[in-house]
């Protein structure tokens, strides 16, 4: 079975540009999470979706960040405009609550560099 | 509040040595889950184990073993006969049942296994 798929794997952009990160969760999973990993703050949850609905976005740093999940197999995290301090690795993870399996499985991550 | 502490920032061992990674957690909930994830140099986050708060049995999987002790709020991870491929950052995490299994991560322990 395919795991969580993220694209792109690497993104280099200039300050002020719009960045869109993409995620395809594991088929059948109904919970999706976006995390950010930095040296300073470690792994932090940005937003959580359940059944395509955003449940907790308290970790989204500011209005420049937005996330959507238009269907069960796709989610995006957008940063507009991007800033150098957004440079980090962004992970998407999914889990299934239908089978009471709360383990989150992570994608390979997107390494974002904002110049 | 929930918290996970991994006091060991970095550990360096020589191949074939045994090594234990410490994890101490804090929560007032009686039902919770504990996890270990591995992040190798390639960057992905790999799920290793999930343990619920009612199951204090130790677990062994090959060279890996986990010791869960509620009395000391610890969930330690031991690698027996370490190998170079074990070199990675290891994260301990906590989630609370009844919520949406939001993961609270420790800061991670970087393990370097030298030949």
């Amino acid at each position: 079975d395919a795991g969580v798929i993220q694209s792109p794997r690497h993104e280099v952009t200039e300050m002020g540009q719009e960045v869109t990160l993409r995620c395809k969760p594991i088929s059948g999973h109904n919970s999706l999470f976006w995390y950010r990993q930095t040296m300073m703050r470690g792994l932090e949850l940005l937003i959580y979706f359940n059944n395509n609905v955003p449940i907790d976005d308290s970790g989204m740093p500011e209005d420049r960040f937005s996330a959507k999940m238009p269907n069960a197999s796709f989610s995006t995290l957008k940063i507009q405009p991007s800033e150098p301090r957004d440079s980090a690795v962004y992970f998407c993870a999914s889990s299934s609550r239908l089978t009471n399996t709360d383990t989150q499985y992570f994608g390979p991550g997107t390494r974002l560099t904002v110049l | 509040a929930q918290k996970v502490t991994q006091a060991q920032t970095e550990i360096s061992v020589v191949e074939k040595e045994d090594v234990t990674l410490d994890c101490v957690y804090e929560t007032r909930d009686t039902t919770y889950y504990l996890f270990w994830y591995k992040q190798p140099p390639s960057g992905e986050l790999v799920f290793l184990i999930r343990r619920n708060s009612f199951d204090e049995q130790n677990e062994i999987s090959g060279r890996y073993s986990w010791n869960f002790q509620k009395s000391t709020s610890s969930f330690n991870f031991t690698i027996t006969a370490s190998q170079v491929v074990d070199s990675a950052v290891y994260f301990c995490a906590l989630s609370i049942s009844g919520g949406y299994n939001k993961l609270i991560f420790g800061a991670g322990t970087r393990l370097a296994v030298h030949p």
Side-chain angles (χ1 to χ4, degrees):
Chain A
D1 289 339
V4 176
I5 299 172
Q6 290 186 248
S7 64
R9 295 293 308 277
H10 302 273
E11 177 80 29
V12 180
T13 190
E14 293 189 347
M15 183 174 63
Q17 296 297 306
E18 177 179 298
V19 175
T20 299
L21 311 182
R22 297 172 176 80
C23 174
K24 177 180 170 56
I26 293 172
S27 177
H29 282 189
N30 61 335
S31 294
L32 185 139
F33 306 79
W34 282 100
Y35 289 86
R36 180 171 67 175
Q37 184 179 33
T38 61
M39 290 295 293
M40 292 298 294
R41 301 173 68 90
L43 277 158
E44 51 183 346
L45 177 68
L46 299 178
I47 188 168
Y48 158 66
F49 290 89
N50 185 246
N51 293 325
N52 312 337
V53 177
I55 303 299
D56 181 359
D57 65 354
S58 60
M60 296 287 263
E62 49 198 273
D63 292 345
R64 297 184 298 106
F65 285 69
S66 63
K68 294 181 180 179
M69 192 165 185
N71 57 62
S73 59
F74 184 65
S75 177
T76 60
L77 177 67
K78 185 178 294 186
I79 308 173
Q80 166 63 20
S82 58
E83 297 183 2
R85 59 190 168 126
D86 301 330
S87 297
V89 180
Y90 291 82
F91 287 101
C92 176
S94 71
S95 69
S96 170
R97 303 208 77 185
L98 293 175
T99 60
N100 201 31
T101 301
D102 288 333
T103 298
Q104 293 182 31
Y105 294 92
F106 285 75
T110 295
R111 182 174 295 277
L112 173 65
T113 302
V114 183
L115 303 174
Chain B
Q2 292 83 34
K3 184 180 179 182
V4 176
T5 302
Q6 294 181 256
Q8 304 150 308
T9 305
E10 293 190 26
I11 300 176
S12 181
V13 299
V14 176
E15 218 172 10
K16 297 184 183 178
E17 281 187 39
D18 298 347
V19 58
T20 295
L21 310 182
D22 298 332
C23 173
V24 174
Y25 62 92
E26 295 176 29
T27 179
R28 292 182 179 179
D29 291 76
T30 56
T31 304
Y32 51 88
Y33 297 91
L34 295 164
F35 302 80
W36 277 95
Y37 286 86
K38 174 182 180 180
Q39 187 172 40
S42 50
E44 70 272 28
L45 277 163
V46 179
F47 164 72
L48 295 178
I49 189 171
R50 169 178 176 259
R51 172 69 74 224
N52 74 56
S53 53
F54 297 107
D55 183 1
E56 285 194 74
Q57 277 193 331
N58 293 331
E59 179 151 343
I60 298 174
S61 176
R63 296 183 297 106
Y64 293 174
S65 62
W66 291 269
N67 180 251
F68 176 28
Q69 291 193 346
K70 289 180 74 171
S71 60
T72 56
S73 297
S74 65
F75 186 43
N76 297 337
F77 173 29
T78 297
I79 302 174
T80 302
S82 59
Q83 300 176 2
V84 172
V85 293
D86 296 327
S87 297
V89 180
Y90 291 86
F91 292 95
C92 181
L94 166 72
S95 75
I96 308 301
S97 178
Y100 62 79
N101 69 303
K102 174 179 180 177
L103 282 174
I104 308 298
F105 282 93
T109 297
R110 182 177 299 277
L111 173 65
V113 182
H114 302 283

